[in-house]
Amino acid sequence: MANASEILFTRLSDGTLLRRQPDGSYRPTEGRSDHAKLAALTEAEIESLAASDPDHPALDNDFWDGALAPVPAKEAISIKLDSDVLRFFRRDGRGYQTRINAVLRHYMRANENAG
């Protein structure tokens, strides 16, 4: 996980863009995107712009077949964890439950065929 001093921008849940200041605080800043101009583009114009972009590979519909794995359903449970384990996962802030799930998924995959 990146250190707070390495993060130059962050976005609030309401969409407000914040920029890190020299004193370490974050202050709102204006983005440079012309959202009205982007919203006015038609699908054909977007496709044309994408096709003319040298950094945009030509991807047809076959490319996307099977690209997105189904997301397993989440189930709320109550679990007791050792306090030091919970502290470890919480120290990086929000998303600690997702990180715990990722560790458990890694363990599950490593042991699926062991049995």
Side-chain angles (χ1 to χ4, degrees):
M1 180 132 207
N3 292 332
S5 63
E6 297 171 1
I7 300 171
L8 298 179
F9 291 94
T10 190
R11 189 172 297 276
L12 298 177
S13 60
D14 68 358
T16 303
L17 183 64
L18 302 176
R19 181 185 185 112
R20 187 171 191 274
Q21 303 299 305
D23 66 358
S25 66
Y26 287 87
R27 303 221 193 303
T29 185
E30 289 294 320
R32 290 184 253 164
S33 297
D34 186 344
H35 295 284
K37 183 178 177 181
L38 292 172
L41 292 174
T42 66
E43 278 297 313
E45 290 170 322
I46 293 169
E47 291 295 327
S48 175
L49 287 169
S52 67
D53 183 348
D55 293 327
H56 176 34
L59 303 175
D60 58 12
N61 289 337
D62 292 338
F63 173 84
W64 299 106
D65 286 347
L68 297 176
V71 177
K74 300 284 185 184
E75 184 176 338
I77 65 164
S78 175
I79 185 173
K80 292 186 180 199
L81 301 172
D82 294 338
S83 60
D84 59 332
V85 171
L86 191 54
R87 249 191 330 274
F88 173 82
F89 281 95
R90 282 182 169 166
R91 76 177 180 201
D92 287 329
R94 291 183 53 166
Y96 72 92
Q97 291 172 327
T98 301
R99 289 188 292 277
I100 292 170
N101 191 71
V103 169
L104 293 171
R105 177 168 300 285
H106 179 77
Y107 179 84
M108 178 187 77
R109 287 186 176 154
N111 290 281
E112 277 179 329
N113 298 322

